[in-house]
Amino acid sequence: MTFFFLSSGLFLGWSLGANDAANVFGSAVGTRMVSFKRAAIIASIFVILGAVIQGAGATHTLGKLGSVSAIGGAFTVALSAALTVYWMTKFKIPVSTSQAIVGAIIGWNFYTGLPTDYTVLSKIISTWIMGPILGAVFAIILYYIQHIYFKIAKIHLLKQDAYIRFALLLVGAFGSFSLGANNIANVMGVFVSAAPENYLNFGLFKLSGVQQLFLLGGIAIAVGIFTYSKRVMDTVGNGLMQLSSKSAIITVLSHSMVLFVFSSTGLSNFVQSLGLPPIPLVPVSSSQVIVGSILGLGLLKGGYNINYKILGGIGLGWIATPLIAGVLSFFALFFVNNVFLIPVSNNDSRSNITNRILEKNSKVIQKDTKSLSIPVIDSVKKDSVNNIVDSSMLESVDSPVSENRKEYFDKLEIKSDKKDNNISKYFNLALLIGILAGIIFLISRWLNSLYKRNKLILSKNSQILEAQKALAEIETKYQLLENKQMEDQLNYKNRELTTMALNLIEKNNFLELLKSKIEEIKLETNDSVIIKKLNNLYLLISQNQNLENDREAFQMHVDELNKDFFYKLNSVYPDLTKNEKRLCVYLRLNMSSKEIAALTNISPKSVEMNRYRLRKKMNIGRDEQLVKVLQNL
Amino acid sequence: MFFKKTESTIRDIDEFLDTIDQGILVFKEGVKYYLENDEGNFSNNLDKLYKLEAKADTIVLKIRNEFFEHSLIPQYSADVVSLLDHLDDIIDTAKENLFQYDVEVPDIPKKLNSEFSKLTDVSCAAAEAVIPAVRSFFNNPSSIKDNEHRVYFYEKETDVLASDLKRKIFKDSKHLKLSQKIHLRYFTLHIEQISDRAEDAARILSALAIKTKD
């Protein structure tokens, strides 16, 4: 049964893990410096250690605010706080578990009529204000230290990255430890009265009852980290302000330091030993502190990067959290106390419930005494309901029928108990039906929202698919266009090549013509000087006519531009020689045998012969054209 | 575990920058050999540049994989990889240009040799200046400005020299055919491209310097 009552605390622990782990590792995960899996493992281990080793200090202060003495009350208070945190987490608002639990405890104080210790309350609220301010101050100091260090050290950017990653893990571990130490009070503080008294011996160490309780709470926080914290990490990591990895270290470290300051008994004692007032050990809001740290950094950089809209949302959450938790706690306590008849406080539980039962009984007694025509006793009528059932009072009434009356009241009592049991049965049945109806309603709503969400996802997916299709079409079109352009370019180059070849041939022909003209002039003249000059000119032309260089350059051009063609030719006809491949290129460019002959410095007849051999080698039939085969390759 | 991966990537980046630097030097020398008609050394440099370019491609691919696989400096990784790609473009352009010299064999008149040589030197100086700027980005981002302004300066100088050279080709070299002039203009543009690529890299570097500033 105790475990059932603890379930609300565990739920609160889960909510805390889901929400507040983001404060420690949100920036690191948001900046992709640390993977979520690694962050979750480290956070879980150190939260549990912090809770078990150092969780007692803050719990003590929370106990002073309102000592929830009955486990039913603790269950309700924790449940109210947990529901508040859960809803706010669902809406992605970084909510404070500390504020939720304090609001819920004050709700309990109001319900039970116990006074709230305003000194403790003001101490807690002052730390809520001090927490973010201290966070901002720490962040600014740490920023300067870090800035100066990196300026002096001149570390390679990649090494810096590695150091920062490592530091983020260390700081995250410290932050998780502090979170566990400071915030376990929120989760399990109200259940301390239900802690077992015996020690749990692990051989190397022993765990007290309270520590066992904190271990359980720590595990619940760890489950919350693993199952739900990734969503909130997005908001903290990137929502309020774009954080660099260096800033992430600063914010997490300052946050961890603040939590440590407000949870460390050793530090508080040390401060006290210096003659200073002790540090109040209070569960501070982890969310408030991290926002304070980020704000401190943001303000230091001129405040341009701060997203004030999100900041406003977070502020609204801070005000709303204790209020919602308090109101919810009050009504939940009323419901649990009066409907389930579960005591929510050791001070007033018995009287509350007994009063209500006795009130019912007195009405039944009055009704039954009338029906049985038994004289009504004034004193009985006048007395309080409590006194009516007091047997000693009944016995002291002076009446001749006192013995009978006693018997009668005994019977009446049994009868009224039976009747009460019947009423209780009917009521419980109705309550069960109501709860079932409520659950069915909630499930149907949940299914409905799930259906709507799925529908939305489907429609979004189909939209994405359509967009992808359109994109693919555009890409295909673009590819086709690119291919066309490349084809045009190739054609242009080929045309250029043909022109170049033709120019070469023409130049050759022209020089040949010049040479023949010189020969003619030489025959017509006898002047030895002119003949000598003509001979020199002839030699010059012959030297210039040497086509080898041009040919080489041209062939290089041909090879360079027809790489693909050569590759294809090689793959289809691997036996072709280099000259045959070049012939294929010339033929592909639609050159005549005469032109090819001029280019390759062989006779047109040899070109024809080579063409014939090529046809044979390529196994081309009589009805096929060699040029077309090459062009279609 | 973190530091081992990091050391290896740092070594790769250093090697990549060395390769680019060497590539620029080889290109510069190659152009000079071409202007001096030293075919043997020219083809030797062309071969060297081919190898350096291939090496740079391999290293940049390796660095890119390391960055994304191990999510190194995740906030700037895309920019850093883009910066390295732009540096790789410099050596790609250099190789392409020297190859054009080899294939197209531009007929550069001797009186323009010194202008072409100077243009190559200044354009390469822009590319050479970007390497220490990149090194300073990794080691000491605050000193980027000391190096990157040189890149912009040499790039502007290259533009001025290229304009002068083009003017000389088209206005003062009347003995050249139009086709030859156009050919030479293309080679002026090719050389200018080196400093343009360096300027592109410097722009990314400037953006990165602002992003990484605290």
Side-chain angles (χ1 to χ4, degrees), chain A residues 157 159 163 165 243 246, chain B residues 3 7 71 73 75 138 214:
Chain A
L157 195 71
K159 268 190 189 167
Y163 292 150
R165 252 166 230 266
L243 287 175
K246 282 183 191 170
Chain B
F3 306 110
E7 291 287 347
S71 108
I73 39 173
Q75 284 178 311
F138 283 111
D214 287 317

Side-chain angles (χ1 to χ4, degrees), chain A residues 109-371:
Chain A
N109 282 351
F110 270 104
Y111 180 75
T112 53
L114 288 171
T116 303
D117 188 340
Y118 287 101
T119 324
V120 178
L121 184 64
S122 60
K123 201 164 133 186
I124 291 173
I125 290 173
S126 68
T127 54
W128 286 356
I129 298 163
M130 278 305 292
I133 294 171
L134 213 56
V137 172
F138 280 156
I140 291 168
I141 295 167
L142 287 170
Y143 171 81
Y144 278 116
I145 294 170
Q146 190 196 54
H147 188 69
I148 292 165
Y149 172 72
F150 279 120
K151 210 173 175 183
I152 296 167
K154 286 180 186 167
I155 304 166
H156 193 284
L157 195 71
L158 289 178
K159 268 190 189 167
Q160 256 185 50
D161 178 66
Y163 292 150
I164 289 170
R165 252 166 230 266
F166 190 62
L168 275 171
L169 288 181
L170 281 182
V171 168
F174 174 49
S176 306
F177 182 88
S178 304
L179 180 73
N182 191 282
N183 277 209
I184 194 68
N186 300 334
V187 177
M188 286 288 152
V190 288
F191 293 101
V192 168
S193 60
E197 282 173 13
N198 54 327
Y199 275 79
L200 204 62
N201 197 345
F202 285 94
L204 287 171
F205 57 90
K206 276 183 191 174
L207 289 184
S208 69
V210 175
Q211 278 177 320
Q212 289 167 40
L213 200 67
F214 288 173
L215 175 68
L216 210 61
I219 292 168
I221 298 172
V223 173
I225 293 169
F226 268 100
T227 52
Y228 212 79
S229 67
K230 201 168 190 289
R231 286 181 62 183
V232 190
M233 284 190 187
D234 291 339
T235 319
V236 175
N238 297 315
L240 186 63
M241 191 183 121
Q242 283 286 321
L243 287 175
S244 67
S245 43
K246 282 183 191 170
S247 310
I249 291 191
I250 294 169
T251 51
V252 178
L253 187 58
S254 58
H255 153 267
S256 314
M257 283 164 74
V258 174
L259 287 194
F260 189 78
V261 164
F262 287 116
S263 60
S264 172
T265 324
L267 191 70
S268 179
N269 291 342
F270 173 72
V271 170
Q272 216 172 352
S273 71
L274 295 173
L276 296 166
I279 301 168
L281 302 178
V282 175
V284 284
S285 162
S286 164
S287 314
Q288 285 176 0
V289 178
I290 198 85
V291 170
S293 306
I294 295 174
L295 256 180
L297 274 188
L299 291 172
L300 193 72
K301 290 176 184 177
Y304 307 114
N305 288 339
I306 299 168
N307 187 342
Y308 287 100
K309 207 174 167 188
I310 290 185
L311 195 66
I314 292 168
L316 192 75
W318 288 357
I319 299 164
T321 309
L323 282 176
I324 294 172
V327 172
L328 196 66
S329 168
F330 185 87
F331 284 107
L333 285 165
F334 179 80
F335 188 75
V336 167
N337 192 198
N338 293 299
V339 177
F340 289 106
L341 309 179
I342 295 167
V344 293
S345 161
N346 283 347
N347 301 333
D348 64 345
S349 60
R350 271 170 302 176
S351 60
N352 269 351
I353 298 163
T354 322
N355 279 345
R356 205 162 38 76
I357 294 169
L358 294 180
E359 257 173 43
K360 272 184 196 170
N361 286 349
S362 74
K363 281 173 192 168
V364 173
I365 292 163
Q366 281 172 19
K367 202 177 164 191
D368 285 4
T369 43
K370 270 180 192 168
S371 65

Side-chain angles (χ1 to χ4, degrees), chain B residues 8-9 12-13 15-17 19-20 52-70 72 77 80-89 91-92:
Chain B
S8 137
T9 313
D12 287 339
I13 290 173
E15 198 182 349
F16 175 72
L17 294 176
T19 310
I20 304 290
L52 287 169
E53 193 268 336
K55 189 181 169 189
D57 281 345
T58 315
I59 303 174
V60 86
L61 191 72
K62 194 181 167 201
I63 296 171
R64 192 187 292 138
N65 285 345
E66 278 166 359
F67 263 82
F68 293 125
E69 202 177 313
H70 306 303
L72 302 175
S77 58
V80 172
V81 168
S82 162
L83 172 71
L84 297 179
D85 281 340
H86 275 80
L87 289 176
D88 190 41
D89 281 350
I91 197 167
D92 284 351

Side-chain angles (χ1 to χ4, degrees), chain B residues 32-206:
Chain B
K32 277 186 184 157
Y33 286 134
Y34 180 84
L35 294 173
E36 289 163 8
N37 278 329
D38 187 346
E39 279 182 33
N41 277 326
F42 172 77
S43 56
N44 193 21
N45 274 32
L46 186 62
D47 276 354
K48 266 192 208 168
L49 196 54
Y50 259 99
K51 281 174 193 160
L52 287 169
E53 193 268 336
K55 189 181 169 189
D57 281 345
T58 315
I59 303 174
V60 86
L61 191 72
K62 194 181 167 201
I63 296 171
R64 192 187 292 138
N65 285 345
E66 278 166 359
F67 263 82
F68 293 125
E69 202 177 313
H70 306 303
S71 108
L72 302 175
I73 39 173
Q75 284 178 311
Y76 317 117
S77 58
D79 293 306
V80 172
V81 168
S82 162
L83 172 71
L84 297 179
D85 281 340
H86 275 80
L87 289 176
D88 190 41
D89 281 350
I90 296 177
I91 197 167
D92 284 351
T93 312
K95 184 209 82 178
E96 203 62 43
N97 286 354
L98 212 58
F99 180 67
Q100 300 286 359
Y101 275 95
D102 188 42
V103 173
E104 296 183 19
V105 200
D107 188 5
I108 301 169
K110 282 212 165 168
K111 68 168 189 176
L112 294 178
N113 269 6
S114 63
E115 269 83 359
F116 264 97
S117 177
K118 200 175 173 189
L119 181 68
T120 312
D121 282 349
V122 176
S123 187
C124 287
E128 281 166 348
V130 97
I131 305 292
V134 175
R135 283 190 208 277
S136 68
F137 162 71
F138 283 111
N139 290 306
N140 182 20
S142 58
S143 67
I144 289 177
K145 279 198 171 178
D146 301 339
N147 293 302
E148 72 172 352
H149 78 97
R150 285 169 190 272
V151 183
Y152 295 122
F153 170 77
Y154 285 125
E155 199 278 328
K156 273 180 195 155
E157 276 298 295
T158 310
D159 287 348
V160 173
L161 282 177
S163 304
D164 288 349
L165 184 56
K166 278 182 240 169
R167 206 167 284 123
K168 266 191 185 169
I169 291 167
F170 282 95
K171 287 191 174 171
D172 303 342
S173 309
K174 285 181 180 157
H175 62 286
L176 294 176
K177 286 180 194 170
L178 182 64
S179 59
Q180 207 178 345
K181 286 177 183 174
I182 291 169
H183 202 195
L184 291 176
R185 185 193 63 180
Y186 276 121
F187 273 83
T188 321
L189 291 174
H190 287 328
I191 297 168
E192 264 187 285
Q193 274 181 351
I194 306 261
S195 64
D196 289 341
R197 294 291 94 83
E199 194 190 25
D200 291 344
R203 284 216 177 101
I204 294 180
L205 203 57
S206 307

Side-chain angles (χ1 to χ4, degrees), chain A residues 393-434:
Chain A
M393 278 287 288
L394 285 167
E395 276 169 15
S396 69
V397 175
D398 186 25
S399 167
V401 282
S402 63
E403 282 298 315
N404 291 338
R405 195 185 297 143
K406 197 180 171 189
E407 213 171 273
Y408 163 76
F409 275 117
D410 283 344
K411 279 179 188 172
L412 196 61
E413 211 169 322
I414 294 161
K415 205 177 172 184
S416 71
D417 276 353
K418 272 185 184 174
K419 234 178 185 178
D420 201 44
N421 279 344
N422 281 339
I423 291 165
S424 180
K425 263 184 195 172
Y426 288 128
F427 183 78
N428 283 344
L429 194 69
L431 188 71
L432 192 71
I433 291 165

